[in-house]
Amino acid sequence: FICVVLAGGSMIFSKDANTLVLAPIERMNAKVQRIKRDPLQAMKLGDEEYKNELRKKRNEFRKTRSGLSRKRCWRCVKPRAPEPLETVVLEKTIIKIGSLLALGFGEAGAEIIGSNMKVAEAGIANVMVPGKRVVAIFGFCSVRDFTVATEILQDKVMVFVNAIGEIVHGLVEEYFGAPNKNVGESFLLVWRLNLMSSSRRRKTTEFAVLAFCKVLAAINVSGVLAEYREHPGLLMKLPGYRVQMGFGLHSGWAIEGAI
């Protein structure tokens, strides 16, 4: 009997340990290894986490609706949401830190982070990584009359630029490009052509042109940017104002690296 009790207790304890400690640590280790191999994977992990949370909230909402339709009570007490486990908080923190690093350093910086993470010596960061020659399509777009907009909008100009940047970055990524750098009102976008066949290069070129066409259309139909057409300060300085952008595309080589 004592042996049975001990065996059952050890099984229950090991199950809890596996569920609450070992499994989350293994998941964290797997995610850290993915970020180590490619730091830009952190942004994909962040997107996956966000989609999972949305899916979970949607399922909870459906369960709540179906429960209320079956049983209507005159007094409903909303149960308190359980506190998340420390391992779950730590796992989400690792993903957030990784995605912020990838967002802040960009593609060239991600290679420096990746090369440093592969080095066995802890605490030593070598940022003096040589640049490399890349063949790509380079896109450049800038917001017209940005100086006037900055003068009038003041601190609200950040909201203005980010609304445009959300459209530009989102559509460029959708058509297989990569936002490389922002300089005030200007955006530098890159479509890499290295190690591509001639047919794939042709398709990538078409994607670059199509992305800019989509950006131009999205800016003109955006409800958020349409509000600036009625801004009294902008209309006083620029009658008939609407958000306009200039675009340019070039194909050639460049030296890529972090400065």
Side-chain angles (χ1 to χ4, degrees), residues 2 7 45 60 85-86 89 114 118 170 173 204 216 220 223 251:
I2 294 172
L45 288 171
E60 287 176 2
L85 296 171
E86 285 79 359
V89 174
K118 288 170 186 172
E173 286 179 353
T204 304
L216 187 59
N220 282 292
S251 178

Side-chain angles (χ1 to χ4, degrees), residues 24 27-28 31 34-35 41-58 84-85 87-99:
R27 278 201 311 270
M28 280 187 276
K31 286 173 181 176
R34 276 182 69 181
I35 295 171
Q41 286 288 323
M43 295 185 74
K44 292 181 182 177
L45 288 171
D47 290 340
E48 289 171 9
E49 189 70 26
Y50 179 68
K51 287 175 184 175
N52 288 336
E53 286 181 5
L54 282 180
R55 201 177 296 115
K56 201 177 292 182
K57 285 179 182 177
R58 201 179 297 120
L85 296 171
T87 49
V88 176
V89 174
L90 184 58
E91 188 177 352
K92 289 182 178 180
T93 304
I94 289 170
I95 294 171
K96 284 180 182 177
I97 291 172
S99 58

Side-chain angles (χ1 to χ4, degrees), residues 170-203:
L171 286 167
V172 167
E173 286 179 353
E174 186 179 338
Y175 288 94
F176 310 104
N180 187 277
K181 188 170 64 172
N182 290 21
V183 184
E185 77 278 21
S186 304
F187 303 91
L188 177 64
L189 304 317
V190 179
W191 284 264
R192 289 168 175 264
L193 300 176
N194 286 34
L195 306 175
M196 281 189 182
S197 62
S198 58
S199 60
R200 285 196 64 190
R201 287 191 178 200
R202 198 179 303 113
K203 285 182 181 177

Side-chain angles (χ1 to χ4, degrees), residues 13-139:
F13 177 77
S14 63
K15 183 187 175 185
D16 289 342
N18 286 330
T19 306
L20 301 175
V21 181
L22 295 177
I25 288 174
E26 286 176 359
R27 278 201 311 270
M28 280 187 276
N29 185 45
K31 286 173 181 176
V32 169
Q33 291 299 323
R34 276 182 69 181
I35 295 171
K36 181 179 176 180
R37 285 192 296 272
D38 180 9
L40 292 176
Q41 286 288 323
M43 295 185 74
K44 292 181 182 177
L45 288 171
D47 290 340
E48 289 171 9
E49 189 70 26
Y50 179 68
K51 287 175 184 175
N52 288 336
E53 286 181 5
L54 282 180
R55 201 177 296 115
K56 201 177 292 182
K57 285 179 182 177
R58 201 179 297 120
N59 291 337
E60 287 176 2
F61 178 72
R62 284 174 183 168
K63 284 179 184 177
T64 307
R65 270 186 83 182
S66 61
L68 286 173
S69 61
R70 278 194 230 102
K71 181 182 177 182
R72 296 193 175 274
C73 56
W74 64 276
R75 185 181 178 185
C76 294
V77 180
K78 190 178 179 180
R80 287 184 63 186
E83 291 289 327
L85 296 171
E86 285 79 359
T87 49
V88 176
V89 174
L90 184 58
E91 188 177 352
K92 289 182 178 180
T93 304
I94 289 170
I95 294 171
K96 284 180 182 177
I97 291 172
S99 58
L100 287 171
L101 277 172
L103 191 65
F105 284 98
E107 222 171 331
E111 292 184 8
I112 293 175
I113 295 168
S115 62
N116 277 281
M117 288 179 77
K118 288 170 186 172
V119 177
E121 301 168 5
I124 300 173
N126 178 26
V127 296
M128 302 300 288
V129 178
K132 62 180 182 180
R133 178 176 166 138
V134 294
V135 179
I137 296 167
F138 301 96

Side-chain angles (χ1 to χ4, degrees), residues 109-171:
E111 292 184 8
I112 293 175
I113 295 168
S115 62
N116 277 281
M117 288 179 77
K118 288 170 186 172
V119 177
E121 301 168 5
I124 300 173
N126 178 26
V127 296
M128 302 300 288
V129 178
K132 62 180 182 180
R133 178 176 166 138
V134 294
V135 179
I137 296 167
F138 301 96
F140 182 84
C141 56
S142 61
V143 185
R144 301 299 192 207
D145 301 311
F146 185 72
T147 307
V148 178
T150 305
E151 193 179 307
I152 293 164
L153 297 175
Q154 299 289 321
D155 55 338
K156 300 288 192 308
V157 76
M158 297 304 298
V159 180
F160 175 68
V161 172
N162 284 330
I164 297 171
E166 185 178 6
I167 294 170
V168 174
H169 286 202
L171 286 167

Side-chain angles (χ1 to χ4, degrees), residues 192-250:
R192 289 168 175 264
L193 300 176
N194 286 34
L195 306 175
M196 281 189 182
S197 62
S198 58
S199 60
R200 285 196 64 190
R201 287 191 178 200
R202 198 179 303 113
K203 285 182 181 177
T204 304
T205 307
E206 291 171 359
F207 281 137
V209 176
L210 184 58
F212 273 7
C213 292
K214 289 277 188 178
V215 168
L216 187 59
I219 283 169
N220 282 292
V221 300
S222 169
V224 176
L225 297 179
E227 294 176 6
Y228 293 97
R229 298 176 197 171
E230 300 172 2
H231 193 285
L234 290 170
L235 290 174
M236 188 180 295
K237 286 272 188 180
L238 302 165
Y241 176 80
R242 63 188 299 145
V243 179
Q244 293 181 332
M245 294 186 73
F247 299 89
L249 282 169
H250 169 73

